[in-house]
Amino acid sequence: MQLLYNNRLLQETELRMPLTNRAFQYNDGFFETIIIRQGRLSFWEDHVQRMQEAAVSLQLSLPPYLTSPAFPEKLLDLAKQQQAMEHGRLKLKFWRSGAGIYTPETNEADWLATVKQTTPVPILPLQVGLCRQVRTQYSSLSHFKGPNAPLYVVASIEKDTRNMNDMLLLDLQNRVAEFISSNVFWIRDNKVYTPALETGCVNGVLRRNIMRWCRQNDIVVAEVLADVDHLYHADGVISANVTGIKRIASIEEISLPTQHPLIEKLYKGLFE
């Protein structure tokens, strides 16, 4: 497999990382997952914005060419090498350069890009459980991907142990936060709701686009602090990330409605 490491094209076998690598030693970085559909980087501008927000929170200096028109073209060239232009998963990983202990030697960033060919995710309704092992917690680092990864690893282990499709995570105050790798939305009386970032949920790229689409189409959308009972009484619940929108069929074996005109409109408005 070919990859990009600090803007250099390498074979996977050529990649060498020192033991002082701060991503390995301290998880001192973040990552971004971008879906390639029909030769395009989906929601690229929103991904760039979130990467810049993550860099500010971590006090990382990203390479200036990240925002140049040539950079996404280089990423697509990598996707062509991997035959992933029709449908692929691009992962961009950024971490602080240099060594050091907790105090870093520099704020400059190293980065790595990999692409894998994928297929569209199934859209079957999901059976979801309430996560019992871990809780989300708001911080200046909770809105992007990477620093809190062990939280989602433990939740995923619970998911497999309990034979669920996904887990609904709550915050420390028992308020709905998110799913393992996606945001949660629910519909009630033709209004759309999603947890506030105060719950510690990731500020997902599709989350931003759903909220933007609702406002553009005069649909009320609100960020709220709500317990799980709000989902049990909703007209529809969905999970949403850059791979797509999925209906939630049940939470803790309590059945939920899976058909609602707004869900269809959301999907068509954002993916068709």
Side-chain angles (χ1 to χ4, degrees):
M1 183 175 76
Q2 290 188 315
L3 47 83
L4 281 171
Y5 175 49
N6 288 340
N7 223 21
R8 292 187 297 121
L9 187 65
L10 299 175
Q11 293 292 334
E12 184 179 0
T13 54
E14 297 176 295
L15 182 64
R16 296 290 183 271
M17 297 285 186
L19 286 176
T20 54
N21 177 281
R22 294 186 63 86
F24 169 66
Q25 293 285 357
Y26 300 108
N27 196 24
D28 186 9
F30 67 93
F31 69 87
E32 195 76 11
T33 303
I34 301 159
I35 299 300
I36 299 165
R37 290 186 179 90
Q38 299 178 350
R40 296 180 64 250
L41 299 173
S42 298
F43 309 118
W44 173 247
E45 292 81 7
D46 292 296
H47 282 291
V48 171
Q49 180 180 347
R50 186 165 67 171
M51 287 187 281
Q52 291 171 326
E53 293 167 357
V56 170
S57 294
L58 287 169
Q59 300 181 52
L60 275 178
S61 297
L62 298 181
Y65 52 77
L66 179 72
T67 55
S68 74
F71 188 61
E73 290 303 319
K74 195 157 190 175
L75 297 175
L76 287 173
D77 286 341
L78 181 63
K80 289 178 186 176
Q81 300 277 356
Q82 301 303 124
Q83 300 180 331
M85 288 292 279
E86 184 64 25
H87 204 280
R89 180 186 293 266
L90 164 68
K91 187 169 184 178
L92 275 169
K93 175 74 177 177
F94 294 87
W95 64 93
R96 204 179 313 271
S97 302
I101 306 181
Y102 281 120
T103 304
E105 298 175 339
T106 177
N107 288 326
E108 297 299 315
D110 289 330
W111 64 273
L112 177 71
T114 58
V115 181
K116 290 186 177 181
Q117 187 181 43
T118 61
T119 56
V121 296
I123 56 174
L124 297 174
L126 304 181
Q127 314 293 327
V128 172
L130 284 177
C131 188
R132 300 165 184 164
Q133 298 297 317
V134 289
R135 298 295 179 97
T136 62
Q137 185 172 7
Y138 175 79
S139 77
S140 61
L141 307 180
S142 58
H143 60 96
F144 55 92
K145 296 182 177 181
N148 299 311
L151 176 82
Y152 306 110
V153 172
V154 172
S156 294
I157 293 171
E158 182 179 347
K159 168 182 69 73
D160 285 353
T161 301
R162 295 179 57 192
N163 197 28
M164 294 288 185
N165 301 129
D166 208 334
M167 302 302 290
L168 181 65
L169 279 72
L170 307 179
D171 69 4
L172 295 175
Q173 287 75 42
N174 291 320
R175 302 174 302 203
V176 174
E178 60 189 341
F179 295 112
I180 292 172
S181 60
S182 55
N183 289 114
V184 55
F185 286 82
W186 63 96
I187 300 166
R188 179 74 174 176
D189 298 329
N190 289 311
K191 298 177 183 178
V192 178
Y193 300 90
T194 195
L197 296 179
E198 184 182 336
T199 62
C201 67
V202 170
N203 191 4
V205 163
L206 195 60
R207 179 184 188 273
R208 302 170 192 229
N209 277 271
I210 287 175
M211 295 176 69
R212 185 183 302 141
W213 181 89
C214 288
R215 290 165 182 148
Q216 290 171 347
N217 289 274
D218 297 322
I219 296 167
V220 175
V221 59
E223 299 174 86
V224 297
L225 300 173
D227 59 35
V228 72
D229 282 344
H230 285 77
L231 275 62
Y232 291 148
H233 295 93
D235 301 322
V237 181
I238 59 172
S239 73
N241 64 20
V242 289
T243 66
I245 291 171
K246 297 179 183 178
R247 296 172 173 84
I248 307 303
S250 68
I251 300 174
E252 289 292 320
E253 300 183 353
I254 296 177
S255 296
L256 304 174
T258 58
Q259 302 298 321
H260 194 283
L262 255 180
I263 298 176
E264 303 296 334
K265 290 179 181 177
L266 269 174
Y267 186 86
K268 291 180 180 178
L270 293 169
F271 292 102
E272 292 185 1

